[in-house]
Amino acid sequence: MRLFGTNGVRGVVNEDLTAEIALRLGKAIGLFFKGSVAIASDARTSGDMIKSAAMSGLMSAGADVIDLGVTPTPSMQHYVGTHEVAGGVMITASHNPSQFNGIKCVDSTGRELTREDEEKIEKIYFNEKIKLSGWDSVGVIKQDASATESYVNAVIKQVDADAIRKANLTVILDCANGAAFLSAPLLMNKLGVRAITLNANPQGDFPGHPSEPTEENLKDIMSLVVSAKADLGIAHDGDADRTAFISEDGKFVSGDKSLSLISKHILSKKKGTVVTPVSSSSMVEEAVKASGGAIKYTAVGSPAVAKAMFESGAVFGGEENGGLIFPEHRLCRDGAMAAAKMLELIAKEGKLSEQIGKLPVYHVEKRKIDCPNNIKDDLLRSLKDSNKGAKADTTDGLKLLFSDGWVLVRPSGTEPKFRIYSESKDESVARQRADETESNAKKIAERLLK
């Protein structure tokens, strides 16, 4: 059986993810790492319960636990990568709704575990006789509140802080009632940026808006950027490993656009490879190649992107959902790094809207349909069978390639859903193909559920 999805083990609390599961998983993780483990959580209501259970499991396996408190996922990853610990655990469901929580692991470098390592943990988890430590060798808990500020200071070292300070910028900062509540304002303060904050109090039920930083969820910050005449809007997700941006004219900037712009900015200083999933817009490839870089595609998910970046020595990488990876800092999605780099970009190259206006124009339709996990494989197989003979890429799900665009259908690794992406330079073509694909997938799912 499989526990880990695209980004850790996730589920609805007290249904799919219980304290008992967290306890047993903590035992398995502790036995896998065989050493001290750092642990942190985002601001979800269930965070203390799941974290406490996981810590008990870790200690029962003999692992000493360093509790970092509530801090962003990349902050935990930075701590692990700069301290003598065997690995790290983050209690988060990232962008998922408040009823969800999750457990994800990183290795001693701060990188998310490979699928092979996750399988080793799963093997221990499903072993009926987990061997625990003796009473005299159980682990202990230590508290360390230094992670957030150390992380912010490390981010600042990776950008031209003087240029940002001289630009005298004003931003609207939306912390999503999540883990960025302390780190994001602190970063703005240290960079000399005037920050007007939204949802900067940690509340696990996300009263400000759902935790995913989509255009639909960010109407407040889009309006406030214009009324406050701010230079930029910065919005994080629940665990602050992703960042969405709002241009100074109040328009939502898609993740493909921010990925393209920062790719160009990085490639202007250092040529190399940019890694991104098959779900990213062709805009990214066009921008990268025009800047003298090479593009490499992977399956969806930051672990796949980070792994390919490590293997290829890439200069940059990221996903179309706002998860950007800066290898000179840490091979993980990093919301604070993304924010700092975008501030540097604006400070040096001018208004964000003007820079976006220079990018190639593509239209992307995104849909998702409900799909129970137990029929995902059958649904994907049926979709492939119904498109035999078509030009396709099966790196992740099914990507149908056309002369004027593409359609990608893939099972979500974090939710009981299928995701559909359709792209073309012609907006009506992108929409029509998305409609057709969504209708076909729904019919197949209905048939499989009978």
Side-chain angles (χ1 to χ4, degrees):
M1 289 182 65
R2 180 166 181 167
L3 281 174
F4 290 87
T6 306
N7 264 295
V9 178
R10 291 190 195 173
V12 175
V13 173
N14 281 347
E15 292 181 19
D16 310 306
L17 182 61
T18 63
E20 290 78 12
I21 290 173
L23 173 66
R24 189 172 184 86
L25 189 52
K27 295 175 184 177
I29 294 167
L31 290 170
F32 170 77
F33 279 130
K34 296 183 177 69
S36 57
V37 177
I39 192 168
S41 66
D42 63 18
R44 289 171 185 270
T45 304
S46 59
D48 285 345
M49 182 188 82
I50 299 298
K51 185 168 75 169
S52 296
M55 287 195 298
S56 292
L58 286 163
M59 289 185 290
S60 72
D64 287 336
V65 176
I66 301 99
D67 184 3
L68 308 180
V70 175
T71 198
T73 294
S75 171
M76 180 275 292
Q77 291 173 280
H78 178 263
Y79 182 95
V80 171
T82 54
H83 289 74
E84 293 294 324
V85 293
V89 175
M90 186 71 192
I91 308 300
T92 181
S94 190
H95 65 277
N96 286 150
S98 54
Q99 65 266 33
F100 285 78
N101 213 328
I103 300 172
K104 66 186 292 183
C105 303
V106 301
D107 65 20
S108 60
T109 70
R111 280 177 55 198
E112 290 166 279
L113 293 188
T114 63
R115 179 57 196 150
E116 292 75 19
D117 283 340
E118 289 177 344
E119 287 174 348
K120 292 176 183 176
I121 293 174
E122 288 170 348
K123 186 176 180 180
I124 299 170
Y125 178 93
F126 289 113
N127 185 342
E128 291 184 8
K129 296 180 180 179
I130 294 179
K131 187 176 180 180
L132 301 177
S133 295
W135 67 269
D136 56 348
S137 57
V138 297
V140 298
I141 297 176
K142 303 172 185 176
Q143 310 288 334
D144 192 335
S146 68
T148 298
E149 186 161 13
S150 295
Y151 161 63
V152 168
N153 290 340
V155 167
I156 292 171
K157 291 178 181 177
Q158 297 296 332
V159 296
D160 189 339
D162 288 338
I164 295 171
R165 293 183 183 111
K166 289 176 183 175
N168 195 29
L169 300 172
T170 295
V171 304
I172 310 299
L173 182 62
D174 188 340
C175 301
N177 300 116
F181 78 99
L182 177 59
S183 59
L186 181 63
L187 177 64
M188 296 302 114
N189 180 263
K190 291 193 173 214
L191 287 173
V193 174
R194 176 175 177 250
I196 301 170
T197 56
L198 285 174
N199 306 312
N201 54 324
Q203 285 183 260
D205 55 347
F206 306 128
H209 59 73
S211 60
E212 187 165 14
T214 61
E215 183 173 3
E216 180 183 2
N217 293 337
L218 298 179
K219 299 301 182 185
D220 288 345
I221 185 174
M222 292 166 67
S223 174
L224 192 53
V225 165
V226 176
S227 61
K229 297 181 180 179
D231 300 287
L232 179 68
I234 299 171
H236 292 295
D237 65 338
D239 67 330
D241 65 346
R242 289 166 50 189
T243 309
F245 297 103
I246 311 299
S247 57
E248 81 288 347
D249 53 358
K251 293 181 179 177
F252 178 82
V253 180
S254 71
D256 291 312
K257 291 176 180 177
S258 56
L259 179 55
S260 298
L261 286 174
I262 295 178
S263 292
K264 290 176 64 178
H265 184 57
I266 288 172
L267 289 168
S268 69
K269 302 173 185 177
K270 184 180 180 181
K271 304 303 179 189
T273 299
V274 173
V275 178
T276 197
V278 291
S279 56
S280 292
S281 170
S282 302
M283 172 197 305
V284 179
E285 179 173 349
E286 193 170 330
V288 166
K289 289 184 175 178
S291 302
I295 194 87
K296 182 177 178 61
Y297 288 106
T298 70
V300 173
S302 56
V305 176
K307 182 175 184 287
M309 291 177 67
F310 176 75
E311 293 172 348
S312 64
V315 297
F316 183 52
E319 304 170 280
E320 49 76 33
N321 61 11
L324 306 183
I325 301 175
F326 301 82
E328 70 278 9
H329 175 57
R330 189 70 49 196
L331 275 168
C332 67
R333 294 194 302 197
D334 199 321
M337 265 299 301
K341 190 60 74 170
M342 186 62 82
L343 289 168
E344 177 186 272
L345 184 65
I346 292 171
K348 291 189 170 185
E349 300 185 29
K351 292 181 179 180
L352 183 53
S353 64
E354 293 177 0
Q355 296 184 57
I356 291 171
K358 298 174 184 177
L359 291 172
V361 177
Y362 287 86
H363 299 281
V364 180
E365 286 281 324
K366 296 181 183 180
R367 311 281 174 81
K368 54 186 176 182
I369 65 168
D370 292 331
C371 180
N373 292 330
N374 64 323
I375 68 164
K376 281 181 176 178
D377 290 342
D378 291 334
L379 176 54
L380 182 58
R381 192 177 303 112
S382 295
L383 286 168
K384 288 179 178 178
D385 288 343
S386 65
N387 286 281
K388 278 184 177 176
K391 188 177 181 182
D393 180 342
T394 56
T395 299
D396 190 350
L398 177 67
K399 187 174 185 178
L400 300 172
L401 307 170
F402 306 95
S403 60
D404 58 349
W406 52 263
V407 173
L408 171 66
V409 191
R410 58 173 294 274
S412 170
T414 58
E415 300 176 275
K417 297 182 184 297
F418 248 75
R419 300 190 185 278
I420 299 167
Y421 309 73
S422 176
E423 177 182 90
S424 176
K425 286 195 170 184
D426 186 324
E427 188 173 7
S428 63
V429 170
R431 187 179 302 113
Q432 179 184 351
R433 286 188 180 137
D435 289 342
E436 292 171 352
T437 305
E438 181 180 7
S439 176
N440 186 31
K442 283 181 175 178
K443 287 177 182 176
I444 294 172
E446 288 172 4
R447 187 175 71 242
L448 290 171
L449 288 169
K450 286 182 179 178

